[in-house]
Amino acid sequence: MPETLTLYTNPMSRGQIARWMLEEVGAPYDTVILDYAADMKAPDYLAINPMGKVPAIVHNGTIITECAAICAYLADAFPAANLAPPLAARGPYYRWLFFAAGPVEAAITNASLGFTLPEGRERMAGYGTLDDTLNALEQAVSGDTWICGDQFTAADVYVGAQIDWGLAFGTMPARPAFTSYADRLRARPAYLRQKEIDNALIAAAQTPA
């Protein structure tokens, strides 16, 4: 049977992360664009993602949701793309991939919404404090290489997307380590292809009929 790979997304969503990862993988894929008003909550899509949100991918009948999981899955499903380090070298890969999916996502979202942890209750939150989280993240992207050294991996896609968006929307401080890392990411051909595709879809949706 032929291989099938489908991305369910909206260009104005975290689906941009999944598309970037797909472009890094280089395998052909189909795209289904869903709107926020109805499509994401329709029964057909809820059967794919009961959360009724994007992105999701379906690969040969296997459903994967959550951006970090999609990135990790695609790296393993398409090993020829060389987007995951050997198992013995995956410590930093797993560490920072899931650090970005957990503490970074929560800390940045809470700060953006104006939520402040009560003094003395920081240990109840997985991220502790925003400063602690950003300081740790800075360690992961300092220097002039990638998270796993010389090898660019799926962890760079997901962590990089968090930093790229944080800098673009002003939810993350423009520390030199963050801006330098983002500049390297923004030069990648797969990143540029993703932006071209999704920006064109956004422009088309905003053009009056």
Side-chain angles (χ1 to χ4, degrees), residues 24-186:
E24 292 283 357
V25 164
Y29 63 95
D30 298 319
T31 302
V32 177
I33 304 297
L34 304 177
D35 65 48
Y36 287 99
D39 294 346
M40 292 186 200
K41 303 300 182 183
D44 286 351
Y45 186 63
L46 290 176
I48 294 172
N49 187 354
M51 288 288 287
K53 65 185 185 71
V54 291
I57 65 169
V58 179
H59 179 225
N60 294 338
T62 297
I63 297 169
I64 308 96
T65 66
E66 310 311 317
C67 288
I70 289 170
C71 290
Y73 175 87
L74 288 171
D76 287 340
F78 297 93
N82 197 33
L83 291 168
L87 186 59
R90 287 197 185 185
Y93 174 80
Y94 286 130
R95 175 187 182 186
W96 297 113
L97 180 64
F98 293 107
F99 181 79
V104 173
E105 173 84 10
I108 295 296
T109 298
N110 283 351
S112 300
L113 295 174
F115 175 77
T116 302
L117 290 168
E119 186 175 353
R121 306 297 292 276
E122 293 84 1
R123 286 185 296 177
M124 292 188 67
Y127 61 85
T129 69
L130 178 61
D131 284 343
D132 287 344
T133 302
L134 293 174
N135 291 341
L137 181 64
E138 189 173 15
Q139 292 182 31
V141 300
S142 293
D144 58 2
T145 59
W146 303 111
I147 286 173
C148 295
D150 291 335
Q151 181 184 3
F152 177 89
T153 69
D156 292 292
V157 173
Y158 188 74
V159 175
Q162 296 282 354
I163 293 175
D164 183 36
W165 287 17
L167 294 174
F169 291 103
T171 58
M172 189 174 290
R175 297 182 182 181
F178 294 156
T179 57
S180 176
Y181 181 61
D183 286 344
R184 299 198 303 278
L185 294 168
R186 291 166 181 167

